[in-house]
């Protein structure tokens, strides 16, 4: 029996139950969203002086604002603008890094309709200037994340525009991409996957 200052009595069984609940909460972090996992990874990179990478804010067009009080404004109407670039960018080892992160519930392929032409054009321009570009694909039902280099993504995009299939098969992504395992810290070490790609090309 354990007594606490508040006068409540707790048995060792109560303490074990609390510890188990705490363990479940910590373990449950594995269920965080794909975007949260990337954000936590980027935070790790920054705090450990590995890279500086941020998610770009979604552009919003505000069209109506009410001022119920002089010191308080309330947005009544706003629209999302069509983003012209990718989700994330920054700098890594002196090079610009730019990538898009997409999620699919499909188990066997990634639909290319999830990517827009302006994003492909943007990555093409960045790659032409020597920047690092790639796509992170999360197969949510498989709990697998792959890094697909832009040079391979562009091949599948061109195949689609020439009348070919409108998706990338999982087998193709496994062949051309790199699996990024979920870890504790960093959560999704996509830069390690990028380094593996560079090493394989040397």
């Amino acid at each position: 029996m354990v007594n606490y200052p508040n006068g409540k009595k707790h048995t060792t069984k109560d303490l074990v139950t609390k510890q188990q609940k705490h363990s479940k909460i910590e373990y449950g972090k594995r269920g965080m969203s794909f975007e949260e996992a990337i954000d936590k990874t980027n935070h790790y990179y920054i705090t450990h002086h590995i890279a500086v990478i941020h998610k770009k804010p979604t552009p919003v067009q505000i069209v109506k604002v009410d001022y119920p009080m002089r010191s308080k404004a309330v947005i009544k109407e706003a629209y999302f603008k069509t983003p012209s670039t990718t989700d994330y960018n920054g700098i890594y080892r002196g090079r610009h890094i730019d990538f898009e992160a997409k999620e699919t519930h499909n188990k066997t392929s990634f639909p290319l309709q999830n990517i827009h032409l302006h994003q492909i054009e943007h990555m093409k321009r960045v790659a032409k200037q020597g920047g690092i570009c790639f796509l992170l694909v999360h197969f949510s039902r498989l709990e697998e994340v792959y890094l697909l280099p832009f040079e391979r993504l562009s091949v599948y995009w061109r195949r689609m525009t020439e009348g070919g299939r409108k998706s990338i098969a999982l087998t193709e992504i496994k062949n051309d991409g790199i699996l990024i395992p979920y870890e504790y810290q960093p959560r999704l070490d996509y830069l390690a996957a990028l380094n593996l790609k560079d090493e394989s090309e040397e």
Side-chain angles (χ1 to χ4, degrees), residues 28-112:
K29 289 181 181 179
R30 291 180 57 187
M32 71 177 63
S33 73
F34 182 38
E35 183 176 319
E36 286 176 324
I38 296 174
D39 290 342
K40 285 186 177 293
T41 300
N42 289 343
H43 179 71
Y44 178 91
Y45 290 155
I46 290 173
T47 56
H48 287 76
H49 311 290
I50 297 171
V52 178
I53 301 167
H54 293 285
K55 179 175 174 60
K56 300 175 192 175
T58 303
V60 175
Q61 175 71 49
I62 299 173
V63 296
K64 185 178 180 182
V65 181
D66 282 353
Y67 295 91
M69 297 172 60
R70 181 174 296 181
S71 61
K72 187 176 181 181
V74 179
I75 297 174
K76 291 293 186 179
E77 189 175 355
Y79 299 94
F80 289 111
K81 292 181 180 179
T82 302
S84 59
T85 57
T86 50
D87 287 337
Y88 299 87
N89 68 4
I91 188 165
Y92 174 56
R93 293 183 175 177
R95 294 179 65 188
H96 178 79
I97 189 167
D98 214 301
F99 67 93
E100 182 71 12
K102 295 294 186 182
E103 192 166 22
T104 179
H105 297 301
N106 198 310
K107 285 185 175 182
T108 59
S109 65
F110 172 73
L112 284 167

XYZ file of all heavy atoms in Angstrom, residues 28-112:
699
model
N 1.731 4.652 -28.223
C 0.731 5.141 -29.154
C 1.244 6.246 -30.048
O 0.609 6.590 -31.037
N 2.403 6.798 -29.721
C 2.977 7.825 -30.576
C 3.295 7.272 -31.951
O 3.464 8.010 -32.906
C 4.242 8.411 -29.929
C 3.948 9.276 -28.707
C 5.216 9.835 -28.136
C 4.931 10.693 -26.900
N 6.156 11.230 -26.295
N 3.383 5.963 -32.031
C 3.625 5.358 -33.327
C 2.456 5.621 -34.266
O 2.590 5.545 -35.471
C 3.834 3.843 -33.177
C 5.115 3.469 -32.479
C 5.277 1.981 -32.366
N 5.236 1.341 -33.675
C 5.213 0.031 -33.855
N 5.210 -0.777 -32.811
N 5.176 -0.487 -35.056
N 1.306 5.931 -33.714
C 0.125 6.151 -34.521
C -0.045 7.597 -34.955
O -1.107 7.963 -35.433
N 0.970 8.438 -34.775
C 0.860 9.831 -35.175
C 0.703 9.924 -36.687
O 1.053 8.999 -37.427
C 2.079 10.616 -34.710
C 3.369 10.293 -35.450
S 4.774 11.301 -34.925
C 4.943 10.829 -33.216
N 0.199 11.042 -37.150
C -0.038 11.214 -38.574
C 1.281 11.307 -39.334
O 2.346 11.582 -38.756
C -0.870 12.470 -38.816
O -0.083 13.624 -38.605
N 1.193 11.098 -40.632
C 2.365 11.166 -41.508
C 3.019 12.546 -41.421
O 4.235 12.660 -41.276
C 1.905 10.859 -42.936
C 2.991 10.835 -43.967
C 4.241 10.316 -43.694
C 2.747 11.328 -45.249
C 5.243 10.283 -44.664
C 3.727 11.297 -46.220
C 4.983 10.782 -45.925
N 2.197 13.584 -41.455
C 2.714 14.951 -41.389
C 3.389 15.220 -40.048
O 4.453 15.856 -39.996
C 1.588 15.958 -41.614
C 2.062 17.400 -41.635
C 0.946 18.383 -41.946
O 0.114 18.079 -42.825
O 0.910 19.454 -41.298
N 2.806 14.735 -38.965
C 3.414 14.921 -37.636
C 4.773 14.241 -37.566
O 5.717 14.767 -36.970
C 2.500 14.357 -36.551
C 1.276 15.194 -36.258
C 0.364 14.532 -35.242
O 0.237 13.291 -35.263
O -0.220 15.260 -34.426
N 4.872 13.057 -38.174
C 6.135 12.314 -38.170
C 7.212 13.092 -38.921
O 8.370 13.165 -38.481
C 5.934 10.940 -38.802
N 6.836 13.703 -40.041
C 7.798 14.504 -40.803
C 8.191 15.747 -40.014
O 9.371 16.109 -39.944
C 7.210 14.906 -42.171
C 6.951 13.655 -43.018
C 8.172 15.841 -42.912
C 6.245 13.937 -44.324
N 7.215 16.398 -39.399
C 7.501 17.606 -38.615
C 8.443 17.306 -37.455
O 9.354 18.094 -37.162
C 6.201 18.222 -38.091
C 5.366 18.848 -39.202
O 5.915 19.103 -40.295
O 4.159 19.059 -38.978
N 8.217 16.194 -36.766
C 9.088 15.825 -35.655
C 10.494 15.498 -36.150
O 11.490 15.804 -35.497
C 8.491 14.632 -34.892
C 7.307 15.008 -34.006
C 6.848 13.830 -33.172
C 5.717 14.246 -32.234
N 6.199 15.194 -31.201
N 10.568 14.882 -37.323
C 11.864 14.576 -37.921
C 12.604 15.852 -38.279
O 13.805 15.994 -37.992
C 11.676 13.712 -39.187
O 11.024 12.487 -38.828
C 13.021 13.387 -39.828
N 11.898 16.810 -38.875
C 12.519 18.079 -39.232
C 13.013 18.829 -37.990
O 14.075 19.461 -38.017
C 11.529 18.947 -40.008
C 11.280 18.412 -41.410
O 12.055 17.597 -41.917
N 10.207 18.854 -42.025
N 12.230 18.748 -36.919
C 12.645 19.375 -35.657
C 13.926 18.725 -35.139
O 14.843 19.416 -34.650
C 11.536 19.247 -34.621
C 11.880 19.846 -33.287
N 11.980 21.211 -33.076
C 12.177 19.257 -32.090
C 12.324 21.439 -31.817
N 12.445 20.275 -31.204
N 14.013 17.413 -35.257
C 15.224 16.692 -34.839
C 16.420 17.142 -35.667
O 17.508 17.394 -35.132
C 14.998 15.187 -35.002
C 16.195 14.341 -34.642
C 16.368 13.861 -33.345
C 17.158 14.015 -35.600
C 17.470 13.081 -33.012
C 18.262 13.247 -35.278
C 18.415 12.780 -33.982
O 19.511 12.015 -33.663
N 16.229 17.261 -36.979
C 17.322 17.695 -37.854
C 17.828 19.091 -37.458
O 19.037 19.340 -37.443
C 16.856 17.733 -39.313
C 16.614 16.377 -39.942
C 15.724 16.235 -41.011
C 17.275 15.231 -39.498
C 15.498 15.011 -41.609
C 17.052 13.996 -40.082
C 16.160 13.881 -41.140
O 15.940 12.666 -41.726
N 16.902 19.984 -37.155
C 17.284 21.352 -36.800
C 18.023 21.389 -35.460
O 19.082 22.006 -35.335
C 16.043 22.266 -36.749
C 15.502 22.490 -38.167
C 16.384 23.616 -36.107
C 14.188 23.229 -38.205
N 17.459 20.721 -34.453
C 18.060 20.765 -33.112
C 19.396 20.033 -33.043
O 20.210 20.309 -32.166
C 17.106 20.177 -32.054
O 16.733 18.839 -32.431
C 15.844 21.035 -31.941
N 19.625 19.095 -33.977
C 20.898 18.367 -34.007
C 21.825 18.888 -35.109
O 22.818 18.232 -35.451
C 20.637 16.868 -34.180
C 20.082 16.206 -32.954
N 18.762 16.353 -32.561
C 20.662 15.411 -32.018
C 18.554 15.669 -31.449
N 19.682 15.098 -31.094
N 21.480 20.049 -35.667
C 22.324 20.734 -36.648
C 22.640 19.853 -37.865
O 23.758 19.883 -38.389
C 23.637 21.206 -35.996
C 23.419 21.934 -34.707
N 22.848 23.190 -34.634
C 23.659 21.559 -33.411
C 22.761 23.571 -33.365
N 23.237 22.605 -32.602
N 21.642 19.097 -38.297
C 21.805 18.220 -39.461
C 21.322 18.913 -40.731
O 21.977 18.862 -41.777
C 21.026 16.899 -39.251
C 21.614 16.135 -38.055
C 21.070 16.035 -40.509
C 20.789 14.935 -37.620
N 20.184 19.561 -40.648
C 19.600 20.263 -41.789
C 18.571 21.261 -41.276
O 18.143 21.186 -40.113
C 18.940 19.267 -42.745
N 18.184 22.191 -42.136
C 17.122 23.146 -41.804
C 16.033 22.990 -42.860
O 16.194 23.433 -44.001
C 17.633 24.605 -41.780
C 16.482 25.561 -41.474
C 18.757 24.763 -40.757
N 14.961 22.327 -42.480
C 13.875 22.024 -43.412
C 12.548 22.344 -42.736
O 12.325 21.965 -41.582
C 13.910 20.545 -43.850
C 15.253 20.232 -44.522
C 12.756 20.235 -44.813
C 15.527 18.748 -44.715
N 11.670 23.048 -43.444
C 10.382 23.444 -42.894
C 9.249 23.123 -43.860
O 9.462 23.051 -45.076
C 10.357 24.953 -42.611
C 11.276 25.382 -41.515
N 11.002 25.152 -40.186
C 12.474 26.020 -41.561
C 11.983 25.648 -39.446
N 12.896 26.171 -40.253
N 8.077 22.974 -43.298
C 6.873 22.844 -44.117
C 6.425 24.243 -44.522
O 6.401 25.159 -43.708
C 5.747 22.156 -43.343
C 4.453 22.020 -44.149
C 3.408 21.219 -43.379
C 2.078 21.224 -44.120
N 2.171 20.647 -45.464
N 6.082 24.386 -45.794
C 5.623 25.691 -46.272
C 4.184 25.927 -45.820
O 3.359 25.011 -45.865
C 5.693 25.740 -47.794
C 7.082 25.534 -48.355
C 7.036 25.473 -49.864
C 8.350 24.992 -50.426
N 8.288 24.806 -51.878
N 3.868 27.112 -45.379
C 2.482 27.407 -44.982
C 1.553 27.369 -46.194
O 1.942 27.749 -47.302
C 2.570 28.814 -44.388
C 3.793 29.406 -45.021
C 4.749 28.267 -45.213
N 0.323 26.893 -45.971
C -0.665 26.858 -47.039
C -1.186 28.266 -47.294
O -1.684 28.921 -46.376
C -1.846 25.942 -46.663
O -1.329 24.635 -46.374
C -2.849 25.857 -47.796
N -1.057 28.772 -48.528
C -1.521 30.131 -48.807
C -3.040 30.243 -48.731
O -3.766 29.406 -49.270
C -1.021 30.384 -50.238
C -0.844 29.032 -50.830
C -0.451 28.118 -49.694
N -3.510 31.265 -48.042
C -4.950 31.482 -47.859
C -5.323 32.897 -48.298
O -4.629 33.854 -47.966
C -5.349 31.269 -46.378
C -6.818 31.612 -46.170
C -5.068 29.837 -45.941
N -6.410 32.993 -49.033
C -6.939 34.291 -49.457
C -8.095 34.676 -48.528
O -9.134 34.016 -48.518
C -7.443 34.212 -50.904
C -8.118 35.484 -51.398
C -7.126 36.613 -51.607
O -6.097 36.434 -52.242
N -7.438 37.769 -51.074
N -7.908 35.707 -47.712
C -8.957 36.171 -46.801
C -9.829 37.191 -47.537
O -9.317 38.163 -48.088
C -8.342 36.805 -45.537
C -7.496 35.757 -44.790
C -9.436 37.372 -44.635
C -6.715 36.320 -43.621
N -11.129 36.953 -47.532
C -12.028 37.838 -48.282
C -13.015 38.589 -47.394
O -13.608 39.580 -47.827
C -12.805 37.039 -49.357
C -11.864 36.479 -50.398
C -13.616 35.917 -48.724
N -13.195 38.125 -46.143
C -14.139 38.829 -45.274
C -13.693 38.737 -43.823
O -13.452 37.646 -43.307
C -15.547 38.238 -45.418
C -16.616 38.998 -44.638
C -17.996 38.406 -44.858
C -19.062 39.164 -44.071
N -20.411 38.565 -44.251
N -13.601 39.883 -43.179
C -13.184 39.945 -41.771
C -14.148 40.845 -41.003
O -14.499 41.926 -41.471
C -11.748 40.499 -41.633
C -11.332 40.528 -40.169
C -10.772 39.676 -42.444
N -14.595 40.367 -39.856
C -15.454 41.168 -38.981
C -14.634 41.651 -37.784
O -13.736 40.957 -37.312
C -16.647 40.355 -38.476
C -17.734 40.236 -39.532
O -17.589 40.904 -40.586
O -18.696 39.492 -39.324
N -15.000 42.839 -37.280
C -14.307 43.401 -36.122
C -15.330 43.662 -35.011
O -15.777 44.797 -34.826
C -13.602 44.700 -36.508
C -12.482 44.516 -37.501
C -12.724 44.594 -38.863
C -11.182 44.254 -37.071
C -11.702 44.420 -39.784
C -10.153 44.078 -37.974
C -10.426 44.159 -39.335
O -9.400 43.990 -40.242
N -15.699 42.593 -34.263
C -16.671 42.769 -33.181
C -16.139 43.665 -32.059
O -16.889 44.301 -31.345
C -16.913 41.350 -32.677
C -15.691 40.592 -33.076
C -15.247 41.200 -34.373
N -14.813 43.679 -31.947
C -14.159 44.554 -30.967
C -12.959 45.199 -31.640
O -12.411 44.657 -32.604
C -13.696 43.740 -29.741
C -14.815 43.084 -28.953
S -14.175 41.969 -27.679
C -13.211 43.108 -26.691
N -12.562 46.338 -31.132
C -11.445 47.049 -31.737
C -10.165 46.217 -31.716
O -9.348 46.286 -32.637
C -11.228 48.372 -30.999
C -10.082 49.205 -31.570
C -10.010 50.555 -30.901
N -11.205 51.358 -31.163
C -11.365 52.599 -30.700
N -10.430 53.146 -29.934
N -12.460 53.265 -30.965
N -9.997 45.441 -30.660
C -8.765 44.663 -30.503
C -8.902 43.215 -30.988
O -8.001 42.413 -30.772
C -8.356 44.659 -29.026
O -9.366 44.052 -28.238
N -10.018 42.888 -31.632
C -10.238 41.500 -32.028
C -10.844 41.422 -33.426
O -11.856 42.051 -33.709
C -11.173 40.813 -31.018
C -11.350 39.322 -31.238
C -12.205 38.725 -30.140
C -12.381 37.229 -30.311
N -13.243 36.653 -29.256
N -10.186 40.653 -34.291
C -10.681 40.452 -35.652
C -11.095 38.999 -35.821
O -10.428 38.085 -35.329
C -9.604 40.806 -36.666
N -12.195 38.760 -36.531
C -12.696 37.409 -36.771
C -12.796 37.196 -38.277
O -13.490 37.940 -38.980
C -14.087 37.201 -36.126
C -14.595 35.785 -36.428
C -14.018 37.427 -34.627
N -12.095 36.185 -38.773
C -12.154 35.856 -40.199
C -13.460 35.116 -40.475
O -13.723 34.062 -39.901
C -10.953 34.988 -40.609
C -9.656 35.770 -40.409
C -11.085 34.546 -42.069
C -8.402 34.954 -40.642
N -14.276 35.663 -41.346
C -15.575 35.090 -41.679
C -15.551 34.278 -42.966
O -16.336 33.345 -43.139
C -16.633 36.196 -41.810
C -16.985 36.871 -40.485
C -17.695 35.911 -39.557
C -18.180 36.608 -38.294
N -18.900 35.698 -37.394
N -14.671 34.628 -43.872
C -14.629 33.928 -45.152
C -13.204 33.939 -45.703
O -12.548 34.980 -45.729
C -15.582 34.593 -46.152
C -15.768 33.808 -47.435
C -16.810 34.443 -48.337
O -17.442 35.439 -47.923
O -16.982 33.952 -49.460
N -12.740 32.759 -46.108
C -11.393 32.636 -46.658
C -11.339 31.429 -47.587
O -12.132 30.493 -47.459
C -10.367 32.502 -45.544
N -10.402 31.453 -48.507
C -10.255 30.364 -49.475
C -8.796 29.946 -49.556
O -7.893 30.774 -49.466
C -10.734 30.807 -50.867
C -12.179 31.210 -50.918
C -12.545 32.562 -50.774
C -13.188 30.278 -51.082
C -13.881 32.947 -50.810
C -14.522 30.660 -51.123
C -14.863 31.990 -50.980
O -16.180 32.366 -51.008
N -8.603 28.631 -49.760
C -7.248 28.142 -49.963
C -6.820 28.468 -51.387
O -7.531 28.181 -52.343
C -7.164 26.623 -49.746
C -7.308 26.214 -48.313
C -8.424 25.532 -47.874
C -6.318 26.505 -47.391
C -8.563 25.147 -46.556
C -6.447 26.126 -46.056
C -7.569 25.452 -45.645
N -5.637 29.067 -51.503
C -5.078 29.294 -52.830
C -4.420 28.004 -53.309
O -3.998 27.173 -52.513
C -4.017 30.398 -52.779
C -4.550 31.783 -52.476
C -3.393 32.773 -52.472
C -3.859 34.183 -52.181
N -2.725 35.137 -52.149
N -4.309 27.851 -54.603
C -3.615 26.681 -55.142
C -2.118 26.860 -54.926
O -1.532 27.831 -55.411
C -3.880 26.519 -56.649
O -5.283 26.416 -56.854
C -3.188 25.270 -57.185
N -1.480 25.966 -54.154
C -0.046 26.103 -53.917
C 0.730 25.920 -55.211
O 0.360 25.117 -56.060
C 0.260 24.989 -52.910
C -0.829 23.992 -53.100
C -2.049 24.774 -53.491
N 1.801 26.674 -55.364
C 2.559 26.630 -56.614
C 3.810 25.773 -56.522
O 4.480 25.553 -57.520
C 2.956 28.058 -57.023
O 3.742 28.650 -56.014
N 4.131 25.319 -55.318
C 5.352 24.520 -55.174
C 5.069 23.248 -54.375
O 3.969 22.724 -54.417
C 6.457 25.362 -54.502
O 5.973 25.839 -53.238
C 6.837 26.556 -55.361
N 6.080 22.787 -53.642
C 5.960 21.541 -52.893
C 5.698 21.806 -51.411
O 5.641 22.940 -50.974
C 7.251 20.721 -53.052
O 8.353 21.579 -52.765
C 7.388 20.182 -54.473
N 5.572 20.723 -50.642
C 5.231 20.838 -49.219
C 6.383 21.330 -48.341
O 6.177 22.089 -47.400
C 4.765 19.479 -48.678
C 3.384 19.102 -49.161
O 2.628 20.019 -49.532
O 3.064 17.904 -49.168
N 7.593 20.868 -48.636
C 8.729 21.136 -47.752
C 9.943 21.617 -48.542
O 10.177 21.158 -49.673
C 9.131 19.863 -46.983
C 8.049 19.311 -46.105
C 7.101 18.428 -46.623
C 7.962 19.649 -44.754
C 6.087 17.915 -45.820
C 6.955 19.142 -43.950
C 6.025 18.275 -44.485
O 5.023 17.765 -43.694
N 10.718 22.499 -47.918
C 12.005 22.860 -48.510
C 12.961 23.335 -47.422
O 12.560 23.592 -46.292
C 11.855 23.908 -49.621
C 11.423 25.262 -49.097
O 11.285 25.496 -47.898
N 11.198 26.190 -50.015
N 14.230 23.426 -47.790
C 15.240 23.853 -46.830
C 16.629 23.667 -47.403
O 16.821 23.691 -48.625
N 17.587 23.466 -46.512
C 18.968 23.300 -46.949
C 19.617 22.145 -46.193
O 19.402 21.968 -44.987
C 19.770 24.608 -46.757
C 21.147 24.496 -47.400
C 19.843 25.005 -45.288
C 21.848 25.821 -47.570
N 20.397 21.354 -46.936
C 21.059 20.183 -46.358
C 22.435 20.038 -47.014
O 22.543 19.935 -48.235
C 20.220 18.932 -46.607
C 20.877 17.635 -46.190
C 21.336 17.432 -44.887
C 21.043 16.585 -47.103
C 21.941 16.251 -44.500
C 21.631 15.386 -46.723
C 22.076 15.226 -45.423
O 22.681 14.043 -45.041
N 23.469 20.092 -46.193
C 24.838 19.967 -46.673
C 25.140 20.969 -47.793
O 25.786 20.646 -48.790
C 25.119 18.540 -47.153
C 25.115 17.511 -46.032
C 25.469 16.135 -46.540
N 25.576 15.186 -45.443
C 25.826 13.872 -45.611
N 25.997 13.387 -46.833
N 25.901 13.069 -44.568
N 24.639 22.184 -47.621
C 24.918 23.234 -48.577
C 24.084 23.201 -49.840
O 24.283 24.022 -50.741
N 23.140 22.280 -49.906
C 22.297 22.172 -51.103
C 20.832 22.401 -50.749
O 20.369 22.024 -49.669
C 22.443 20.787 -51.756
C 23.817 20.518 -52.335
C 23.879 19.131 -52.935
N 22.988 18.991 -54.098
C 22.746 17.829 -54.712
N 23.303 16.716 -54.247
N 21.943 17.784 -55.751
N 20.122 23.024 -51.687
C 18.686 23.225 -51.505
C 17.991 21.874 -51.584
O 18.304 21.042 -52.432
C 18.143 24.147 -52.602
C 16.667 24.356 -52.516
N 16.086 25.239 -51.624
C 15.633 23.782 -53.204
C 14.771 25.217 -51.768
N 14.474 24.345 -52.707
N 17.029 21.651 -50.687
C 16.263 20.404 -50.677
C 14.780 20.757 -50.785
O 14.312 21.711 -50.156
C 16.564 19.570 -49.417
C 15.940 18.183 -49.514
C 16.124 20.274 -48.152
C 16.465 17.212 -48.457
N 14.064 20.020 -51.611
C 12.674 20.349 -51.917
C 11.932 19.036 -52.145
O 12.337 18.232 -52.986
C 12.640 21.184 -53.208
C 11.528 22.211 -53.204
O 10.362 21.807 -53.076
O 11.832 23.414 -53.348
N 10.857 18.809 -51.381
C 10.132 17.554 -51.601
C 8.651 17.676 -51.292
O 8.209 18.576 -50.586
C 10.756 16.407 -50.795
C 10.624 16.517 -49.296
C 9.557 15.923 -48.626
C 11.594 17.176 -48.550
C 9.450 16.000 -47.243
C 11.485 17.255 -47.168
C 10.413 16.668 -46.511
N 7.917 16.746 -51.859
C 6.474 16.647 -51.668
C 6.205 15.385 -50.854
O 6.874 14.357 -51.030
C 5.772 16.572 -53.024
C 4.269 16.519 -52.960
C 3.636 17.832 -52.522
O 4.325 18.864 -52.473
O 2.431 17.812 -52.227
N 5.213 15.447 -49.956
C 4.836 14.282 -49.146
C 3.381 13.946 -49.438
O 2.507 14.803 -49.321
C 5.032 14.580 -47.666
N 3.148 12.701 -49.833
C 1.799 12.281 -50.193
C 1.443 10.973 -49.483
O 2.315 10.142 -49.208
C 1.677 12.062 -51.706
C 1.848 13.319 -52.533
C 0.719 14.315 -52.305
C 0.829 15.509 -53.239
N -0.239 16.505 -52.987
N 0.162 10.810 -49.228
C -0.338 9.621 -48.540
C -1.411 8.954 -49.393
O -2.180 9.631 -50.068
C -0.926 10.027 -47.193
C -1.219 8.881 -46.256
C -1.476 9.379 -44.841
O -1.829 10.570 -44.676
O -1.321 8.583 -43.909
N -1.431 7.626 -49.377
C -2.458 6.904 -50.109
C -2.948 5.714 -49.285
O -2.179 5.116 -48.529
C -1.935 6.403 -51.475
O -2.982 5.682 -52.144
C -0.733 5.472 -51.319
N -4.252 5.393 -49.430
C -4.814 4.219 -48.766
C -4.719 2.993 -49.660
O -5.055 1.889 -49.241
C -6.274 4.472 -48.390
C -6.457 5.584 -47.396
N -5.874 5.564 -46.144
C -7.136 6.761 -47.471
C -6.207 6.669 -45.482
N -6.956 7.411 -46.271
N -4.270 3.209 -50.879
C -4.129 2.112 -51.830
C -2.992 1.181 -51.380
O -1.930 1.655 -50.966
C -3.834 2.689 -53.220
C -4.086 1.692 -54.334
O -3.613 0.569 -54.261
N -4.825 2.112 -55.348
N -3.206 -0.107 -51.495
C -2.195 -1.072 -51.053
C -1.215 -1.469 -52.144
O -0.140 -1.992 -51.851
C -2.872 -2.345 -50.530
C -3.506 -2.217 -49.160
C -4.035 -3.583 -48.730
C -4.576 -3.539 -47.306
N -5.049 -4.874 -46.860
N -1.583 -1.254 -53.407
C -0.768 -1.793 -54.497
C -0.164 -0.740 -55.416
O 0.689 -1.068 -56.240
C -1.610 -2.762 -55.353
O -2.748 -2.054 -55.877
C -2.081 -3.945 -54.521
N -0.596 0.525 -55.306
C -0.053 1.547 -56.194
C -0.267 2.938 -55.620
O -1.067 3.129 -54.707
C -0.711 1.454 -57.582
O -2.097 1.762 -57.489
N 0.451 3.892 -56.203
C 0.298 5.297 -55.828
C -0.303 6.055 -57.007
O 0.333 6.160 -58.066
C 1.649 5.903 -55.460
C 1.601 7.392 -55.253
C 1.007 7.924 -54.123
C 2.110 8.251 -56.217
C 0.940 9.301 -53.940
C 2.054 9.627 -56.044
C 1.459 10.149 -54.903
N -1.526 6.586 -56.874
C -2.171 7.313 -57.971
C -1.463 8.639 -58.253
O -1.280 9.452 -57.350
C -3.603 7.553 -57.457
C -3.771 6.595 -56.312
C -2.415 6.460 -55.706
N -1.086 8.857 -59.497
C -0.391 10.086 -59.851
C -1.297 11.309 -59.835
O -0.815 12.437 -59.893
C 0.259 9.931 -61.233
C 1.539 9.085 -61.226
C 1.946 8.705 -62.640
C 2.673 9.817 -60.525
